[in-house]
């Protein structure tokens, strides 16, 4: 009898232990199953409602400006809100939205603005638009839980079908070679900044934009070839690449930001008429980088030049004569502190004159501005205290339609003349060319 009871107790204890093991096993597995269920699938979720937005100037598209009344933790931005196509994520749109865990944007979005996702501390999944063209360098600051994809020591953010769309940066500053994935379309701002051991960069044909400061301070980088797919290079993208000697820029580029190659003293380039250029075998004069030295007195910009660097002639204090071809579309900072420059004719190809273009050109007395110009920044003629005459290529009505920020571009209050090829029959200030010289009627 005792033996039977002992055997029964033993069996009971074994069964109890087995049951407890099963329970423990189940409790360990259950969270994993829960995690699988929580996987972000934007296609399986409804579009979010209540997001704040602002209609853009074209009155057809809009920009997401904030979380609005939306309470979703998994945000699916709609392609269209009240008939307006969503094309941008605005400045600080989701700043400090710590409740957001996942977010997907439609392929209509082309731009993500400054600090758009700043301190989204719980954001772990982000689905980008395949159409992205412009991503601010500070868009994802303090998004520490954001899931990424790593390939050959480079970290990426992706879209629904391309995990390598956006190169966020190197996973270690000690990287020596950056072979970007063939599916990459954007190189993010600060992506490889201060990778001082980086000697080799391969940019695939498919990348459309190189972000601000992307390779800033890569002191060991000696050469770079930009593929034909690139449309934009943002400010200081290759600044202070001190060993950089060879640069190839394609004709496809539509914009080069502030001092993109500033602080690169060893770039060879092509020299023409007192200036150094970067380009390619078809057009070696595509981008005027800088004057050969700051003591030059005159310069004729090559007729094939498309862009002038922000600092191209800055501090050329003896420069008195500049000839600019009808191929430049905008100026920005180009002639700052050219204190001997007395007059300049802006070509008809120019549409914008940005800040500091003629800053502290204290000897400047006259300027010819074509009616192709649609925007003049408030600081374009800062401290041009002797600017007395503006010869404008259009009418008074056209002049008044120019976008002038703060209306402080001409602090010297110059006399403005308006172009007329024939003798005017009404009173007013008018001018024409006489032997190539602007002359008042």
């Amino acid at each position: 009898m005792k033996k039977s009871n002992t055997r029964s107790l033993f069996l009971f204890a074994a069964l109890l232990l087995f049951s407890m093991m099963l329970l423990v096993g189940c409790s360990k597995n259950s969270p994993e199953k829960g995690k699988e269920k929580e996987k972000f699938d934007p296609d399986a979720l409804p579009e979010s409602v209540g997001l704040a937005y602002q209609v853009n100037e074209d009155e057809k598209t809009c920009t997401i400006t904030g979380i609005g009344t939306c309470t979703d933790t998994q945000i699916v931005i709609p392609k269209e809100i009240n008939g307006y196509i969503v094309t941008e994520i605005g400045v600080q749109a989701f700043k400090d939205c710590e409740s957001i865990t996942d977010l997907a944007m439609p392929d209509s979005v082309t731009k993500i603005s400054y600090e758009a996702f700043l301190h989204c501390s719980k954001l772990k999944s982000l689905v980008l638009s395949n159409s992205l063209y412009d991503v601010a360098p500070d868009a994802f600051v303090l998004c520490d839980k954001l899931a990424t994809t790593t390939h050959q020591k480079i970290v990426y953010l992706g879209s629904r079908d391309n995990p390598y769309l956006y190169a966020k940066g190197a996973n270690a500053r000690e990287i020596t070679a950056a072979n970007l994935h063939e599916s990459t379309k954007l190189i993010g701002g600060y992506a490889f900044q201060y990778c001082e051991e980086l000697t080799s960069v391969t940019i695939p044909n498919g990348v459309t934009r190189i972000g601000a400061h992307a390779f800033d301070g890569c002191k060991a980088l000696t050469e770079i070839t930009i593929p034909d797919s690139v449309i934009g290079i943002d400010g200081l993208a290759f600044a202070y690449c001190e060993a950089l000697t060879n640069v190839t820029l394609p004709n496809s580029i539509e914009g080069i930001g502030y001092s993109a190659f500033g602080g690169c003293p060893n770039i060879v380039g092509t020299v023409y008429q007192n200036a150094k250029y970067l380009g390619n075998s078809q057009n070696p004069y595509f981008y005027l980088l800088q004057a050969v030295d700051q003591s030059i007195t005159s310069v004729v910009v090559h007729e094939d030049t498309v862009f002038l660097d922000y600092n191209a002639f800055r501090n050329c204090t003896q420069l008195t004569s500049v000839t600019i071809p009808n191929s430049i579309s905008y100026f920005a900072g180009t002639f700052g502190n050219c204190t001997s420059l007395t007059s300049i004719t802006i070509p008809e190809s120019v549409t914008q004159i940005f800040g500091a273009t003629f800053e502290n050109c204290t000897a400047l007395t006259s300027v010819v501005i074509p009616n192709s110009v649609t925007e003049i920044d408030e600081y374009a003629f800062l401290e041009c205290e002797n600017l007395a005459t503006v010869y404008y290529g259009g009418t008074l009505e056209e002049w008044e339609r120019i976008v002038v920020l703060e209306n402080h571009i001409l602090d010297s209050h110059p006399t403005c003349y308006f172009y007329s090829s024939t003798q005017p029959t009404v009173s007013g200030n008018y001018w024409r060319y006489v032997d190539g010289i602007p002359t008042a009627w």
Side-chain angles (χ1 to χ4, degrees):
M1 184 69 180
K2 289 184 179 180
K3 289 184 179 180
S4 176
N5 287 339
T6 303
R7 187 178 295 124
S8 298
L9 287 171
F10 178 80
L11 290 173
F12 176 79
L15 286 170
L16 182 62
L17 179 61
F18 181 71
S19 299
M20 290 176 65
M21 291 176 63
L22 285 176
L23 287 171
V24 172
C26 288
S27 65
K28 287 184 178 179
N29 290 332
S30 56
E32 293 300 321
K33 291 180 180 178
K35 286 183 180 179
E36 291 177 6
K37 290 179 180 179
E38 291 174 5
K39 185 177 179 181
F40 183 51
D41 181 7
D43 295 327
L45 295 172
E47 294 178 339
S48 296
V49 296
L51 295 171
Y53 70 96
Q54 178 178 312
V55 178
N56 297 329
E57 289 184 5
D58 61 8
E59 297 185 350
K60 296 179 181 179
T61 62
C62 69
T63 298
I64 298 296
T65 57
I67 192 69
T69 60
C70 181
T71 59
D72 295 343
T73 58
Q74 294 184 307
I75 303 290
V76 180
I77 299 174
K79 179 181 179 180
E80 187 176 309
I81 300 178
N82 293 334
Y84 301 104
I85 302 296
V86 177
T87 57
E88 298 182 27
I89 311 298
V91 173
Q92 297 184 340
F94 296 100
K95 177 186 175 182
D96 295 327
C97 291
E98 296 186 34
S99 63
I100 298 176
T101 59
D102 311 275
L103 185 142
M105 60 189 70
D107 284 341
S108 57
V109 172
T110 60
K111 181 178 180 180
I112 301 176
S113 301
Y114 173 73
E115 293 186 347
F117 297 94
L118 175 66
H119 198 227
C120 289
S121 59
K122 293 182 180 178
L123 182 63
K124 62 180 186 295
S125 298
L126 180 65
V127 179
L128 299 177
S129 162
N130 281 308
S131 304
L132 271 181
Y133 167 69
D134 187 0
V135 179
D138 298 311
F140 309 110
V141 173
L142 299 177
C143 295
D144 298 331
K145 292 185 178 180
L146 196 55
T148 56
T149 301
T150 301
H151 175 75
Q152 293 192 12
K153 298 182 180 181
I154 301 173
V155 176
Y156 298 84
L157 295 176
S159 62
R160 283 174 170 82
D161 54 5
N162 181 7
Y164 308 104
L165 185 139
Y166 177 81
K168 192 171 183 290
N171 64 359
R173 293 299 169 198
E174 294 75 23
I175 188 173
T176 58
N179 299 312
L180 290 148
H181 193 278
E182 60 182 8
S183 299
T184 304
K185 291 189 176 180
L186 298 167
I187 299 175
Y190 304 105
F192 300 95
Q193 187 183 38
Y194 303 139
C195 290
E196 297 185 0
E197 297 178 30
L198 185 66
T199 59
S200 171
V201 175
T202 302
I203 301 176
N205 193 28
V207 170
T208 58
R209 194 179 189 99
I210 300 172
H213 298 273
F215 296 93
D216 177 10
C218 293
K219 295 181 178 181
L221 190 62
T222 58
E223 61 179 300
I224 190 78
T225 297
I226 312 297
D228 291 338
S229 56
V230 172
I231 299 174
I233 299 176
D234 291 341
L236 298 166
F238 295 93
Y240 304 104
C241 292
E242 298 172 359
L244 193 61
T245 56
N246 297 313
V247 176
T248 301
L249 297 177
N251 296 328
S252 59
I253 294 175
E254 298 176 359
I256 299 178
Y258 164 79
S259 202
F261 296 91
C264 300
N266 294 308
I267 292 181
V268 177
T270 301
V271 175
Y272 172 83
Q273 292 284 320
N274 292 330
K276 182 188 295 185
Y277 296 81
L278 302 180
N280 52 72
S281 58
Q282 289 76 39
N283 181 9
Y285 308 105
F286 181 76
Y287 179 69
L288 195 158
L289 179 63
Q290 62 189 41
V292 291
D293 63 68
Q294 293 182 337
S295 65
I296 63 170
T297 58
S298 66
V299 66
V300 177
V301 178
H302 196 279
E303 62 182 5
D304 292 334
T305 302
V306 179
F307 298 106
L308 305 178
D309 186 79
Y310 183 93
N311 292 313
F313 301 107
R314 180 169 286 273
N315 297 323
C316 291
T317 56
Q318 298 179 52
L319 184 66
T320 59
S321 173
V322 179
T323 303
I324 305 169
N326 199 32
S327 56
I328 306 297
S329 60
Y330 64 83
F331 291 128
T334 311
F335 301 99
N337 205 37
C338 290
T339 53
S340 297
L341 191 63
T342 58
S343 64
I344 192 164
T345 296
I346 296 172
E348 294 180 359
S349 55
V350 171
T351 59
Q352 296 168 305
I353 304 174
F354 293 120
T357 295
F358 298 99
E359 177 187 7
N360 199 39
C361 290
T362 52
L364 191 65
T365 58
S366 68
V367 61
V368 178
I369 299 178
N371 63 351
S372 59
V373 172
T374 59
E375 181 178 335
I376 303 176
D377 188 88
E378 62 174 310
Y379 299 117
F381 293 90
L382 183 67
E383 298 180 5
C384 293
E385 56 195 34
N386 293 307
L387 181 59
T389 308
V390 172
Y391 297 105
Y392 179 60
T395 65
L396 173 61
E397 292 75 18
E398 290 175 316
W399 174 253
E400 291 177 341
R401 285 198 294 268
I402 293 178
V403 177
V404 181
L405 301 178
E406 302 296 329
N407 289 318
H408 292 151
I409 62 158
L410 303 172
D411 289 333
S412 60
H413 304 292
T415 302
C416 193
Y417 290 84
F418 304 98
Y419 184 76
S420 178
S421 59
T422 58
Q423 178 73 51
T425 57
V426 295
S427 61
N429 297 328
Y430 298 96
W431 71 282
R432 82 285 196 194
Y433 280 109
V434 176
D435 297 328
I437 299 174
T439 307
W441 278 103

